[in-house]
Amino acid sequence: MIQHSAFTLDAWEIREEQLDLDVLAQTESVFALANGHVGLRGNLEEGEPAGLPGTYVNSVYELRPLPYAEAGYGYPESGQSMINVTNGKLIRLLVDDEPFDVRYGELRSHERVLDLRAGTLERDAQWTSPAGQTVHIHTVRLVSFVQRSIAAIHYEVEPVDGPLRVVVQSELVANEPLPDSPRDPRVDAALSAPLVGEDHVTHDLGAVLVHHTAASGIRLAAAMDHLVDGPPETEVTATADTDVARVTVTTVLQPGQKLQIVKFLAYGWSSERSRQALRDQVAGAITGARHTGWDGLIEEQRSFLDEFWSRANVEVDGDPEIQQSVRFGLFHVLQAGARAERRAIPAKGLTGTGYDGHAFWDTETFVLPVLTYALPDTAADALRWRHSTLPAATERATTLGLAGAAFPWRTINGEECSSYWPAGTAAFHINADIADAVVRYIDATDDQDFERDIGLELLAETARLWNSLGHHDREGRFRIDGVTGPDEYSALADNNIYTNLLARQNLRAAADAAERHPDEATGFGVDDAEIGSWRAAAAAMYIPYDEHLGVHPQAERFTDHQVWDFADTKPDQYPLLFSFPYFELYRKQVVKQADLVLAMHLQSAAFSDEEKARNFAYYERLTVRDSSLSAATQAVIAAEVGQLDLAYDYLGEAALIDLDDLEHNTRDGVHIASLAGGWIALVAGFGGLRTLGGTLCFSPRLPVALTRLAFNLYYRQRRISVTVNSSTVSYRLHEGEPLGLCHHGERFTLHLDEEVQRPVPVVAARPRPTQPAGRAPARRQVNPGPARGR
């Protein structure tokens, strides 16, 4: 874990009061700034030292070989990896010819603050050079939510105890060296210098570099420009070559004088536009940013975030760590998707190269629920990206001998690049996850134009896949055999309940949408016979049940398998996939991540209260949480079945995954889905949020440690707030027409500016379920102090 006592507890900030080089890579991810289009890791402006240098532009990737010991029909032939693009963060400082480097001289003080309301990363440092010259450096960095292509840095230098000759070198650098990685050497070769120079131009205080990727054929332009405010004798020069552009500012600072530089950055890319067009695009973006000015960018950023927090804010009383971490998580979810605009939302956002920058089912199942109830237009754009990849998905289905669309398990551009079938392509539930997100978005917005133009085709093509993948057996049941559900330790199983239930919803939603939009459905080749086949498959969907144990098997006959030997599994053998062959995992009762439990969340009405309680207890003793996606879901259902303290423990695991580096891989980027899971655990878990027939339903209840929970939602052009304490809950409508709600099964109507209060029922006590030896979540112990150190 990050044993980082300098991370102070603050409801709206992540503050680091000293620089710890041992966790530099982790804090670079924590302090990353992005807007869904451009991402800047929290690297130091001077560039060195660095844990993992990183500047990313969404969907700029390079192709790489996928190695196979034995190739097979239908295996993807190449993968895609997000690349480190031209670095514009670099601002090098020389103090009387000594380069500012925190590893040399004396770093007298160093503080960084990620401000979740301002959307900025602020840095304050005082450094004495090896020659004894002391300087104060103050920087503020932002990636604009309003001006999609723009990032900016305000850089300030001031002498502390005497005159200084300073040189500031502001740079654009392409193909910067990266740390060695344990990748396949062929992959390293493809990604070590992925950008091929095309053009370099300097002008006044700015420069533009244009490159393209050798294999994927993507053209990238990066531009910088500057405003310089210094003593009258300040000199500025600009130079550029293929991979480096530099603007150098030279001056002498007397005590009381400052050198202030505002650096504007712009990024643009295209696989089709010309070099000149792309160069003009970033030049225009820079001109717009200069016109706005630094103060204008700051004001725009704050205004955007004020609107976001008015819809998405969560307040938690009783646990300062959870309060800080849930807002941190929401901020990173926003950064991952706000301006992605019909591009993928990667599992790590634009904070690092973990998972090669790929998007998974995480987006639709964990990230989009948050965005749907806060920034629905952003959720719609993410689904429009999926819609834009339909040609690749239908081609993939054809290759597999299936109808409809087979969406990829992992991808950047829409083509499958998962090289392991059982835990990748066989997880066809990705289709139903996309359909689930479509259903959720349409329910939350009543956006009939979206349903007609985007949703209908997504629902129809995914429904077609289920009709060809499944079949009616001799007993008339509709079966979906040989697939992998969310639990990747149980591959190629028959009738995975999660898959079957969400496929059933998919089939019914496709039929309903086709009947609402008959002309458009006919255009997609949908006729009454096909609609009838979807309804028949949904009605006959097989949902296995183990009568002997009184629980639902995760998949057919799962509960007949031998239970994994947890007692003799050593702590250092987790995650199990790194210590045991998949063959051993696939034929045992051991669960990597919530599967049947996730089905009980997303398809709540398919289970009775008693079934949920029994199922949850059964799968708790099998679930090892070797995936960061699991804890949030376990928190939701633990809360629903009355295990409030256990839900609270799981909430901490989901919300603190990156601030405490619980998975030991935050250096590769933050875990966007798990951070979204902090919101899910609070709002769907302790808030009890579900939707039923177009109605928002709540069943709130709190653990003893939390004295108050308040959250906002945006639903069908209405902004509502829910405030829960130990005995009562209040609902208030702040914007929009009257809205019908449901509280613990009781329906009522909420009117504008009206507050409705209802009691919180007492939860019946149940025995706390057990987990596999050594895999129980850490018990939450509230830390009320000023620092995060443990």
Side-chain angles (χ1 to χ4, degrees), residues 344-402:
I345 298 179
K348 295 281 191 176
L350 299 177
T351 68
T353 53
Y355 304 117
D356 285 310
H358 294 162
F360 297 76
W361 69 301
D362 308 23
T363 299
E364 283 77 16
T365 303
F366 295 91
V367 179
L368 291 196
V370 179
L371 294 175
T372 296
Y373 294 119
L375 290 178
D377 289 347
T378 298
D381 271 342
L383 292 170
R384 288 188 178 96
W385 168 71
R386 285 291 191 188
H387 184 263
S388 75
T389 68
L390 262 174
T394 53
E395 181 179 350
R396 179 68 170 157
T398 300
T399 299
L400 300 176
L402 299 169

Side-chain angles (χ1 to χ4, degrees), residues 29-48:
S29 297
V30 168
F31 289 133
L33 295 179
N35 64 6
H37 174 63
V38 178
L40 310 180
R41 277 179 64 82
N43 306 119
L44 306 178
E45 279 82 9
E46 56 273 18
E48 297 178 13

Side-chain angles (χ1 to χ4, degrees), residues 532-545:
S533 72
W534 293 342
R535 292 202 183 280
M541 188 67 68
Y542 178 38
I543 308 301
Y545 186 75

Side-chain angles (χ1 to χ4, degrees), residues 616 630-640 646-648 650-651 681 685-686:
F616 180 73
S630 194
T633 297
Q634 289 172 273
V636 169
I637 301 303
E640 183 171 1
L646 179 58
Y648 180 48
Y650 280 131
L651 162 65
F686 296 130

Side-chain angles (χ1 to χ4, degrees), residues 582-601:
Y582 272 117
F583 169 72
E584 273 297 292
L585 299 169
Y586 290 164
R587 63 195 190 95
K588 300 288 179 64
Q589 287 192 65
V590 55
V591 179
K592 179 182 181 183
Q593 63 200 69
D595 187 308
L596 189 281
V597 173
L598 181 59
M600 294 194 297
H601 173 200

Side-chain angles (χ1 to χ4, degrees), residues 74-302:
Y75 284 18
E77 294 181 358
S78 67
Q80 307 142 30
S81 288
M82 183 171 70
I83 61 172
N84 180 33
V85 301
T86 308
N87 184 2
K89 301 186 298 290
L90 291 169
I91 302 178
R92 306 185 197 277
L93 171 66
L94 287 86
V95 179
D96 286 346
D97 299 328
E98 291 276 3
F100 171 43
D101 187 320
V102 297
R103 296 168 295 187
Y104 304 100
E106 180 187 356
L107 187 62
R108 293 188 169 186
S109 64
H110 193 278
E111 181 176 81
R112 289 188 287 179
V113 178
L114 179 65
D115 190 320
L116 306 178
R117 285 179 292 191
T120 58
L121 176 63
E122 188 169 359
R123 181 188 183 198
D124 201 82
Q126 190 171 106
W127 177 74
T128 300
S129 72
Q133 302 289 338
T134 302
V135 63
H136 177 251
I137 303 106
H138 181 76
T139 70
V140 183
R141 181 188 302 181
L142 67 81
V143 175
S144 176
F145 288 118
V146 177
Q147 301 188 37
R148 180 173 182 256
S149 302
I150 296 298
I153 302 171
H154 189 282
Y155 193 90
E156 183 178 277
V157 183
E158 181 181 11
V160 172
D161 52 12
L164 295 177
R165 185 177 71 256
V166 299
V167 177
V168 175
Q169 298 171 317
S170 178
E171 299 180 339
L172 294 174
V173 177
N175 293 318
E176 63 182 331
L178 296 175
D180 292 336
S181 71
R183 294 178 183 268
D184 183 287
R186 292 168 293 176
V187 174
D188 281 340
L191 303 179
S192 60
L195 297 173
V196 179
E198 286 190 358
D199 200 0
H200 54 276
V201 179
T202 61
H203 57 88
D204 300 326
L205 303 182
V208 180
L209 297 182
V210 182
H211 292 79
H212 70 265
T213 54
S216 60
I218 294 172
R219 178 172 283 122
L220 171 80
M224 66 177 176
D225 205 350
H226 301 80
L227 299 175
V228 178
D229 183 8
E233 67 276 12
T234 300
E235 297 181 0
V236 183
T237 60
T239 61
D241 59 26
T242 303
D243 282 351
V244 179
R246 180 179 297 117
V247 171
T248 303
V249 181
T250 306
T251 193
V252 175
L253 295 175
Q254 301 297 329
Q257 291 183 320
K258 296 180 181 179
L259 173 63
Q260 298 184 73
I261 301 171
V262 176
K263 181 176 187 177
F264 301 102
L265 295 167
Y267 290 90
W269 72 270
S270 176
S271 57
E272 298 178 352
R273 302 182 69 214
S274 69
R275 177 180 61 187
Q276 182 63 48
L278 207 57
R279 196 173 71 187
D280 291 348
Q281 175 186 329
V282 294
I286 285 280
T287 299
R290 283 181 60 100
H291 176 75
T292 304
W294 173 256
D295 290 341
L297 289 174
I298 289 288
E299 184 178 346
E300 287 179 345
Q301 192 85 334
R302 183 60 179 251

